[in-house]
Amino acid sequence: MSLQCGIVGLPNVGKSTLFNCLSNAKAQSANFPFCTIEPNVGVITVPDERLNKLGELCKPVRGVIPTTVEIVDIAGLVKGASKGEGLGNKFLANIRETDAIIHVLRCFDDDNVVHVDGSVDPVRDKEVIDAELQLKDLETVDARIQRIEKQVRVGGDKQAKAALELYLRYKQALEQGKSARVVTPENKEEELAAHELFLLTNKPVLYVCNVDENSAVSGNQYVDAVKKVAAEEGAEVLVVAAKIESEIAELETYEERQMFLEEIGLQESGVNRLIKAAYRLLRLRTFLTAGSDEVRAWTFREGMKAPQCAGVIHTDFERGFIRAEVIKYEDYIALGGEAACRAAGKLAVEGKDYLVQDGDIMHFLFNV
């Protein structure tokens, strides 16, 4: 399931440093604008403590296989990007291809790192990028309205009429300086019309406050300001010290990394928290398979049913789906494995309409 989160932000806010911490790919990182020109793509392992416990229990021959998510480091955007300033058009094209946005905001003071606008103000920086994306979306919406108005007048197309009503609401919101995501489609026709537009400001967003070491645990006044505006959008805010994360990434063992985190008062690295948040942002969930051969995590979209999840493993599993055997992770761990769960009546047999839940341990029966 190839879904991507794009890391965006103004130049020099720490995007590439953060990306380097997230993946083994080493994006160039330097103290000048437009250091990142082509988007760097990293395939990131999703941390999941459940896999370790299942691995200890099953002792699989082929080991434990986690699931992944793709993170894209996109060139820094500047004011006027919607009109082609800086690397604007390239930036906007790259972000349009992603499924969700990780918006990095500079929330630290450092005279040695230049700010493209001369001072640190994460709320202003957020508004700069929001405005550019909104302007580009307004162009898209205006063009679509002009095209569809004629269809509605001439043909009385019901679907076109529903789409036009939605597009006019988008236009009103965007002209007021709001993002498209504040507009909610009211029916299936509008949902389809929304999907076809691929609006930049309709993508889910996570704000990442890049702070100094002293603010890694408790945040600072910049973070507080970001949280206030993000709350109005219903968006999540994550506090990460990219400089510390780069130091953690250089440590070789898990024990060393944990000791480092404990010394600065953190239970989990910012990178792990960010990956998990990105996974949630994409509305992704995990089902598991466990046995003596391997323990494995599989990615599925929230709301998928058993046959679709079977298809994540192999298309034949979906095509010839008969039923699914499901054990809840908590039961599997508490009772010590599949055999004990069967004996205790904790194995459920589910059909085609079963909505798979995060953490379900699945075994699919099929025939083709």
Side-chain angles (χ1 to χ4, degrees), residues 283 285 300-305 308-309 354-356:
R283 293 183 60 242
R285 301 292 182 265
F300 71 99
R301 287 297 289 267
E302 185 181 59
M304 283 173 64
K305 294 183 178 179
Q308 294 171 289
C309 286
Y354 176 68
L355 278 172
V356 177

Side-chain angles (χ1 to χ4, degrees), residues 8 25 42 59-61 78 83 117 138-140 163 168 203 207-208 220 222 231-232 238 278 292 299 319 321 328 347:
V8 306
K59 296 181 174 52
V61 176
V78 293
K83 303 299 179 187
D117 284 331
L138 190 55
E139 281 182 27
T140 302
L168 289 171
K203 298 177 186 292
Y207 295 106
V208 176
N220 55 32
Y222 297 131
E232 295 169 7
L238 207 62
S292 58
T299 298
R319 190 159 55 92
F321 179 88
K328 296 301 177 185
L347 184 148

Side-chain angles (χ1 to χ4, degrees), residues 66-139:
T67 190
T68 59
V69 64
E70 287 189 1
I71 305 285
V72 188
D73 178 27
I74 298 172
L77 175 146
V78 293
K79 202 168 188 175
S82 59
K83 303 299 179 187
E85 291 292 325
L87 298 168
N89 290 329
K90 201 174 190 72
F91 171 97
L92 295 166
N94 290 334
I95 195 172
R96 197 178 294 281
E97 293 169 9
T98 64
D99 301 282
I101 298 170
I102 298 171
H103 188 161
V104 182
L105 296 163
R106 176 172 169 174
C107 294
F108 65 90
D109 294 306
D110 187 340
D111 293 337
N112 295 317
V113 181
V114 296
H115 190 290
V116 72
D117 284 331
S119 62
V120 178
D121 185 342
V123 174
R124 176 202 60 206
D125 295 352
K126 171 193 173 303
E127 289 171 351
V128 165
I129 287 195
D130 283 351
E132 296 304 324
L133 299 183
Q134 288 161 7
L135 286 168
K136 201 67 183 177
D137 278 351
L138 190 55
E139 281 182 27

Side-chain angles (χ1 to χ4, degrees), residues 32-290:
F32 57 86
F34 310 125
C35 175
T36 303
I37 297 174
E38 293 298 330
N40 299 287
V41 180
V43 179
I44 315 300
T45 296
V46 178
D48 194 333
E49 295 77 10
R50 295 173 300 195
L51 288 175
N52 299 329
K53 291 186 179 179
L54 287 172
E56 290 169 9
L57 208 68
C58 298
K59 296 181 174 52
V61 176
R62 287 170 53 192
V64 174
I65 304 170
T67 190
T68 59
V69 64
E70 287 189 1
I71 305 285
V72 188
D73 178 27
I74 298 172
L77 175 146
V78 293
K79 202 168 188 175
S82 59
K83 303 299 179 187
E85 291 292 325
L87 298 168
N89 290 329
K90 201 174 190 72
F91 171 97
L92 295 166
N94 290 334
I95 195 172
R96 197 178 294 281
E97 293 169 9
T98 64
D99 301 282
I101 298 170
I102 298 171
H103 188 161
V104 182
L105 296 163
R106 176 172 169 174
C107 294
F108 65 90
D109 294 306
D110 187 340
D111 293 337
N112 295 317
V113 181
V114 296
H115 190 290
V116 72
D117 284 331
S119 62
V120 178
D121 185 342
V123 174
R124 176 202 60 206
D125 295 352
K126 171 193 173 303
E127 289 171 351
V128 165
I129 287 195
D130 283 351
E132 296 304 324
L133 299 183
Q134 288 161 7
L135 286 168
K136 201 67 183 177
D137 278 351
L138 190 55
E139 281 182 27
T140 302
V141 170
D142 278 338
R144 190 61 67 93
I145 286 173
Q146 287 177 22
R147 201 170 82 193
I148 211 167
E149 272 181 331
K150 189 176 180 181
Q151 277 181 260
V152 173
R153 281 198 310 269
V154 175
D157 187 320
K158 197 175 179 182
Q159 195 166 330
K161 188 179 178 184
L164 180 59
E165 288 173 3
L166 176 68
Y167 298 161
L168 289 171
R169 297 206 305 277
Y170 277 145
K171 180 179 172 68
Q172 183 180 28
L174 291 164
E175 286 178 339
Q176 291 172 354
K178 297 175 183 176
S179 293
R181 69 180 72 90
V182 305
V183 176
T184 305
E186 294 177 355
N187 49 52
K188 285 186 178 179
E189 287 79 10
E190 289 194 354
E191 284 176 10
L192 181 63
H195 179 72
E196 289 174 349
L197 274 188
F198 294 103
L199 295 180
L200 301 169
T201 64
N202 219 5
K203 298 177 186 292
V205 63
L206 167 71
Y207 295 106
V208 176
C209 295
N210 184 15
V211 300
D212 59 273
E213 183 175 345
N214 294 330
S215 306
V217 177
S218 56
N220 55 32
Q221 75 274 19
Y222 297 131
V223 174
D224 293 340
V226 173
K227 284 182 175 178
K228 187 176 179 181
V229 294
E232 295 169 7
E233 299 179 18
E236 188 177 347
V237 176
L238 207 62
V239 178
V240 173
K243 193 174 179 182
I244 289 178
E245 296 297 324
S246 63
E247 292 174 15
I248 293 171
E250 290 175 5
L251 298 173
E252 291 185 6
T253 68
Y254 172 80
E255 288 74 19
E256 286 178 312
R257 291 192 288 272
Q258 285 305 115
M259 282 177 63
F260 187 102
L261 288 168
E262 286 171 15
E263 283 175 16
I264 59 176
L266 290 173
Q267 292 184 329
E268 187 177 24
S269 74
V271 162
N272 276 12
R273 288 185 286 114
L274 177 53
I275 296 169
K276 290 176 181 178
Y279 200 68
R280 291 195 304 271
L281 192 66
L282 291 166
R283 293 183 60 242
L284 299 179
R285 301 292 182 265
T286 303
F287 73 85
L288 307 158
T289 52

